[in-house]
């Protein structure tokens, strides 16, 4: 049976709706950086997702292409994730009425046995076999550290309600949001918005945190 990160690491991918503090270790990702409205048809965000999945599935099927990656085991491609920020907004707060001003890093987690050289192979292989330009994909590591996280159920535009509860929880725990050292608002998308009603979409939200006074 293929290794499924969502099932094996439920503490990262199946948090409760009630906010909680958690320490997230360093992880490896495929990533594409960009700006603009993620809902724009054929926009930069949609193109980034196409590149990420083309590269991710090329790695996943690498053995069939004759590529032998040391330590390889069968796995389920993890869900899409994103780091978000916006000019003119402080910390984790985002103005959802100004989606054109969003800056994002779209990501898919990699197994630890995938190296940067393997990613470069997959980018070239996806271009050669699938005719998909994937040159914007990069090998990316993110050491998230202490965060507050919660499961948001509903449309993306209703996320500020969940974020407000998370920030309130941080205050109760004598913590505060921490956006130093490029720590960013983080989301993990557990639902496919093309197939799920907006009010039923599930998204993990993480806000970087630190103890007050540290």
């Amino acid at each position: 049976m293929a290794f499924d990160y969502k099932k094996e690491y439920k503490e990262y991918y199946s948090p409760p709706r009630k906010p909680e503090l958690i320490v997230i270790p360093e992880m490896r990702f495929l990533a594409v950086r960009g700006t603009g409205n993620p809902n724009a048809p054929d926009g930069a965000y949609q193109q980034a997702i196409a590149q990420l999945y083309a590269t991710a599935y090329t790695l996943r099927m690498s053995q069939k292409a004759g590529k032998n990656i040391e330590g390889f085991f069968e796995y389920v491609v993890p869900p899409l994730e994103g780091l978000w920020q916006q000019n003119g907004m402080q910390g984790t707060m985002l103005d959802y009425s100004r989606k054109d001003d969003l800056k994002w890093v779209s990501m898919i987690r990699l197994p630890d046995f995938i190296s940067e050289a393997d990613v470069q192979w997959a980018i070239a292989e996806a271009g050669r076999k699938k005719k998909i330009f994937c040159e914007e994909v990069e090998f990316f590591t993110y050491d998230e550290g202490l965060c507050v996280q919660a499961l948001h159920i509903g449309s993306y535009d209703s996320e500020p309600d969940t974020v407000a509860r998370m920030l309130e929880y941080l205050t109760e725990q004598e913590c505060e949001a921490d956006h130093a050292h490029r720590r960013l608002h983080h989301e993990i998308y557990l639902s496919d918005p093309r197939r799920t009603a907006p009010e039923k979409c599930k998204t993990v939200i993480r806000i970087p945190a630190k103890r007050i006074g540290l």
Side-chain angles (χ1 to χ4, degrees):
M1 183 177 295
F3 188 91
D4 189 333
Y5 285 85
K6 288 193 299 183
K7 293 180 180 179
E8 298 296 331
Y9 295 101
K10 292 183 179 180
E11 66 271 31
Y12 303 148
Y13 300 101
S14 299
R17 299 184 71 174
K18 182 179 178 181
E20 63 179 7
L21 287 172
I22 186 170
V23 176
I24 307 295
E26 181 178 280
M27 298 180 187
R28 299 178 175 186
F29 296 90
L30 297 172
V32 177
R33 304 170 190 265
T35 60
N37 189 337
N39 299 325
D42 300 320
Y45 185 78
Q46 301 303 322
Q47 294 173 26
I49 292 175
Q51 292 185 54
L52 286 173
Y53 276 110
T55 307
Y57 278 98
T58 298
L59 287 165
R60 170 66 178 80
M61 306 303 292
S62 57
Q63 289 186 321
K64 291 187 176 181
K67 171 72 171 176
N68 293 316
I69 298 175
E70 185 177 355
F72 183 94
F73 56 76
E74 297 287 332
Y75 63 97
V76 177
V77 172
L80 183 69
E81 308 187 27
L83 302 175
W84 298 87
Q85 60 181 318
Q86 190 175 48
N87 288 337
M89 299 299 291
Q90 184 175 4
T92 194
M93 302 305 293
L94 302 174
D95 182 349
Y96 288 74
S97 69
R98 295 193 295 112
K99 293 187 175 71
D100 289 343
D101 297 332
L102 289 169
K103 297 181 178 180
W104 39 262
V105 182
S106 191
M107 312 185 298
I108 294 177
R109 184 179 178 180
L110 289 170
D112 289 342
F113 58 75
I114 299 291
S115 69
E116 186 170 2
D118 296 325
V119 171
Q120 293 304 315
W121 168 84
I123 291 169
E125 183 72 1
R128 184 179 71 84
K129 294 192 70 174
K130 301 181 181 182
K131 308 301 180 185
I132 298 177
F133 173 85
C134 296
E135 297 298 325
E136 293 179 322
V137 176
E138 63 180 271
F139 180 85
F140 177 68
T141 60
Y142 191 51
D143 189 0
E144 202 156 14
L146 180 66
C147 299
V148 57
Q149 72 174 7
L151 179 66
H152 173 76
I153 300 179
S155 70
Y156 302 132
D157 287 347
S158 67
E159 286 182 5
D161 293 338
T162 297
V163 169
R165 290 196 298 272
M166 295 169 71
L167 295 176
E168 182 179 358
Y169 174 79
L170 280 179
T171 300
E172 294 170 356
Q173 300 301 312
E174 298 184 342
C175 294
E176 61 185 0
D178 177 22
H179 294 277
H181 310 297
R182 299 182 181 178
R183 303 181 74 199
L184 300 173
H185 178 104
H186 187 177
E187 298 181 0
I188 304 174
Y189 307 105
L190 304 179
S191 304
D192 185 341
R194 299 169 301 178
R195 300 171 181 164
T196 308
E199 66 273 13
K200 295 182 179 180
C201 281
K202 295 182 179 181
T203 307
V204 178
I205 299 178
R206 289 190 192 140
I207 297 172
K210 65 177 182 179
R211 301 288 179 183
I212 292 176
L214 296 182

